[in-house]
Amino acid sequence: MHSDSNEPYQTWMCLTCGFIYDEAAGLPDEGIPAGTRWRDLPINWTCPECGARKDDFEMIEI
């Protein structure tokens, strides 16, 4: 178990297309289980909407 298990889940927005990645929800259709932290996504993961890289996302408060 990660030591950050008590941290609130965060949301990340693609600055290119506005797609939202919600850590709590994950992306089950993409094979990413609910609760998957942003930092635990593969380094080569890309936005499912526009193909932007993780570098093109910004953490946001919803």
Side-chain angles (χ1 to χ4, degrees), residues 17-49:
C17 75
F19 173 81
I20 302 288
Y21 175 74
D22 180 351
E23 291 178 337
L27 288 170
D29 293 346
E30 304 273 321
I32 299 169
T36 301
R37 298 287 184 177
W38 180 252
R39 66 178 159 270
D40 295 330
L41 290 175
I43 192 72
N44 61 350
W45 182 84
T46 57
C47 177
E49 296 290 318

Side-chain angles (χ1 to χ4, degrees), residues 6 12 17 21 28 35 48 50 52-53 57:
N6 292 328
W12 296 77
C17 75
Y21 175 74
C50 73
R53 298 172 323 210
F57 279 71

